[in-house]
Structures are given as C-alpha cells and as structure tokens.
Amino acid sequence: MSKMLTEAPAPVKRNTLTKNQLPGWAIWAVAAGSLILGAAVSSLIGFSLVSWALLSAVIFVIAGYVVTLSVEGARKAKDRFATNLIFAAFIIAVVPLISVIWTVLQNGIAGLSYNLVFTSMNGMTGMVDNETVANGTEVLGGAYHGIIGTLLITMWATIISVPIGLLTAVYLVEYSKGGALSRGITFFVDVMTGIPSIVAGLFAAALFGLIFGPSTRTGFVAAVALSVLMIPVVVRSTEEMLKIVPNELREASYALGVRKWRTVLKVVVPTAISGIASGVTLAIARIIGETAPLLVTAGFVNSINWNVFGGWMTTLPTYIYRQLMNPTSPTNVEPSMQRAWAAALILIIFVMLLNLLARLIARIFAPKTGR
C-alpha cells in the first residue's frame, strides 16, 4: 500500500483529438501579455487609456494568430484571427463609452445637488460666482429651467412624430403596392435620416418665421425641428417591426371576415407593439441631446418658461453650451464648468433611463410564448 501511495501518477497521454491544440489558458496568457506589452508601448508615446486599449487590441490579434499558427496550423489560426478581431473590435468600441461615462461622472457628481436640480439661473450674475469662489461656498444657480424645457420640448416632439411615423409605416407595409408614392416616401425617409440636425432647425425657424415673423423663437418651433429628426427613425423602426409579423396572422384574421383596418389595429400592431415602443423610446433618446437646432428655434433664457407656445425656452443641451462658451463670470469659470458637467450628467441619466424604459417596454409587451 505504501508503495502505491509513493508512486508518481503516470502522465496523461494526449490522443489524436487533443493533439496539436492550445490549452485553455493559452489565449488568456496571450491577452495578459498583450495588455502588459500594450501598456509598455503606450507609455513610450505618452500613456493614455485609449492608446493602451488600441495597442493592446492590435497586439492581441496578431499574437493570437501567430501562437495559433505555430501550434494548430493555418486553418485554426484563421479562425482564431477572426474571433480575436471581433473581441478587439468590441474592446475598442467599449473603451470610448466607458471613458465618456467615467469623465462625466468624475466631473459631474461634485456639482450634482438639490440647488442645481431645483433652481434656475434667474438673477445669477458674475458677482455671485466671484463671491462663491472667494468664500468657498456652494455654487448657486441651477439647471431647473433647462430640465423643464427639455422635458416639454421632447414631449411635444414625441406627440408630433409618433402618430405621423406610425401611420406612415403602416401605409408602407400594409397598404402600399410598391408604387411611385411608396417609393417616394421611402426615398425621402432615407434622406431625412441623414440630414444634419442644424438643417432641421433652420427649416423649422424659416417655416415659422414666414408665418409668424422672423423673430419667432418658441419651444414648439424647437419641437417641430426635433420631430423632423425623429420621424424617420420612428418610420424605419416601426416598418421593420411590422414586416416581421407573420402573414399567417393576417390571413387568419381575413378568413374570419375581419376588415383590413381592424386587422391592422387589433392583430398586426399589438403583435409588433414591443418593437414599436422600443423604437419610439430610442428615437426620443436620439433627439433629447440635440443642441444645434434648439439654438436657432428655442433660443436661451435664464428663467423658467412653462409655455412652449410663447417665449424663449432653455434645454439642457443649450444650458451646457452656454455655461461652457459664455461663463457667468469670465474671471472665475469654475462655477460655470461645474454646472455644465452636472447638467451633462443629468442628460446622460435621462438617456440611460430612456434606454432602460425601452427594454422594460419590450419585455412587458413582448408576445407571450408557451401555454
């Protein structure tokens, strides 16, 4: 018995199925080495998180290919190269996002306070900021008027865009026969998808300027400008969702004698409502951060304006722009910078909440499967 316990175990022989294969830890070792080598090379040219990620990704792809080629052959090496390239692209795409979020959090949390969220800039002057810096007290003035303006203008843009976009998509999928009208609508929707946001702002400003005068600047004009950007997104997302509804559901409804408009309303739209709601929510998230069209349509004001049909109105993007480009105190810009970073954090929180809401809506309204 003692002899059996003292004998060393015999080495495991690798059969033909495991021969010439990299062990499971090999790729992780290549990744660790790539990170170390990428950090070393990045430090030579001026270390930064972006350069480190890019260099590490490139080294990882090349090293993984070379190691796999030397052990497993050219076929496995090509497969490994494609796989590593996908992982590297993912890392390169995620690093800027993490960098942006981290920078905004780092600079914005310090300025996020009750005073910022529930007070406006009405009555704020450079003298107040000078006293704040001299005494080291809490920064006064907030973005309450920008928050209210953002919510109101976005709400009206949604009210304008969703019915138009939804009905347009229903026509293209359910009623059009592929004629000249449907082709024209599709063409113009594609063009509208790529137009610069400032063009939408100039269009809305010119339209209302011709009707009500050249100095017309209201929240509703801004909502119209944003709806120009939002409608093509709603049309495209709704159109794709309606196309994936099985034709068997429509045919079953027609077989029961149900009219087409009622089939669309009671069968097709409820089946695709999950994707439609997600597309609308993402379209709102796309326009909520626009700045250029709002500068020429809604203007900028330091006080709160609840009336979107009269008077200038401030939004969070324009508030951030003004605090950065025109500080309240030119000699002490720190309070204005703090307000701008905190407002940017609030705007990112809004966008994140909208994306989470889109996922929640998609889960709630998703077609139920099983019994």
Side-chain angles (χ1 to χ4, degrees):
M1 177 66 74
S2 59
K3 182 177 180 181
M4 294 175 61
L5 293 175
T6 56
E7 289 181 351
V12 179
K13 294 183 179 180
R14 305 181 71 179
N15 55 33
T16 55
L17 296 178
T18 59
K19 187 179 180 180
N20 295 332
Q21 287 187 0
L22 289 172
W25 52 265
I27 296 301
W28 294 105
V30 171
S34 301
L35 290 174
I36 297 173
L37 186 58
V41 176
S42 178
S43 62
L44 296 177
I45 60 176
F47 182 83
S48 66
L49 183 61
V50 175
S51 63
W52 178 34
L54 291 175
L55 291 172
S56 299
V58 173
I59 295 171
F60 175 67
V61 172
I62 298 174
Y65 175 79
V66 173
V67 171
T68 307
L69 179 64
S70 61
V71 177
E72 298 183 352
R75 183 178 179 183
K76 288 288 187 179
K78 293 178 181 178
D79 179 74
R80 179 66 64 185
F81 177 80
T83 304
N84 292 348
L85 192 63
I86 293 173
F87 283 122
F90 169 75
I91 294 172
I92 293 173
V94 169
V95 167
L97 176 62
I98 296 175
S99 178
V100 169
I101 294 177
W102 174 254
T103 303
V104 175
L105 284 173
Q106 188 178 23
N107 294 278
I109 289 180
L112 195 62
S113 62
Y114 178 89
N115 180 71
L116 178 89
V117 177
F118 292 102
T119 59
S120 67
M121 293 295 292
N122 192 21
M124 290 296 301
T125 62
M127 186 180 297
V128 177
D129 281 355
N130 293 336
E131 293 177 356
T132 299
V133 175
N135 301 328
T137 57
E138 182 182 0
V139 175
L140 300 178
Y144 182 55
H145 56 311
I147 295 173
I148 297 301
T150 298
L151 295 177
L152 290 176
I153 291 175
T154 304
M155 181 190 71
W156 277 101
T158 305
I159 292 173
I160 297 170
S161 304
V162 171
I164 296 175
L166 182 60
L167 293 176
T168 302
V170 169
Y171 170 77
L172 291 175
V173 176
E174 303 295 333
Y175 290 94
S176 69
K177 305 295 184 180
L181 180 59
S182 62
R183 292 197 301 270
I185 293 174
T186 302
F187 172 76
F188 283 111
V189 167
D190 292 338
V191 172
M192 290 174 64
T193 304
I195 64 172
S197 59
I198 187 63
V199 175
L202 292 174
F203 161 75
L207 176 64
F208 282 85
L210 290 174
I211 300 174
F212 300 104
S215 60
T216 303
R217 299 288 186 273
T218 64
F220 187 75
V221 180
V224 173
L226 294 181
S227 67
V228 174
L229 302 174
M230 187 175 175
I231 286 174
V233 180
V234 176
V235 172
R236 275 300 177 204
S237 60
T238 304
E239 185 180 0
E240 294 302 321
M241 290 301 104
L242 294 178
K243 284 181 179 179
I244 65 176
V245 175
N247 285 326
E248 288 78 5
L249 296 178
R250 299 179 177 87
E251 294 171 355
S253 179
Y254 298 151
L256 294 175
V258 181
R259 294 184 178 182
K260 187 165 187 174
W261 70 268
R262 196 170 184 84
T263 299
V264 173
L265 186 62
K266 296 294 185 179
V267 177
V268 177
V269 172
T271 304
I273 192 63
S274 171
I276 294 173
S278 299
V280 170
T281 308
L282 293 177
I284 296 172
R286 182 248 183 273
I287 66 165
I288 198 172
E290 289 293 343
T291 306
L294 300 180
L295 289 173
V296 298
T297 54
F300 181 83
V301 66
N302 287 327
S303 58
I304 301 172
N305 179 17
W306 291 86
N307 183 14
V308 295
F309 298 100
W312 291 14
M313 183 174 285
T314 300
T315 60
L316 282 174
T318 56
Y319 174 83
I320 297 169
Y321 175 81
R322 293 284 296 190
Q323 289 295 314
L324 290 175
M325 302 303 296
N326 297 291
T328 307
S329 174
T331 57
N332 292 294
V333 299
E334 291 82 6
S336 295
M337 293 291 293
Q338 184 173 324
R339 296 189 197 101
W341 281 111
L345 179 58
I346 294 174
L347 190 60
I348 287 181
I349 291 173
F350 279 172
V351 175
M352 293 179 65
L353 290 177
L354 285 171
N355 282 273
L356 292 175
L357 179 62
R359 293 179 178 271
L360 180 62
I361 291 174
R363 179 170 297 181
I364 293 175
F365 290 101
K368 303 300 185 291
T369 57
R371 296 184 178 180

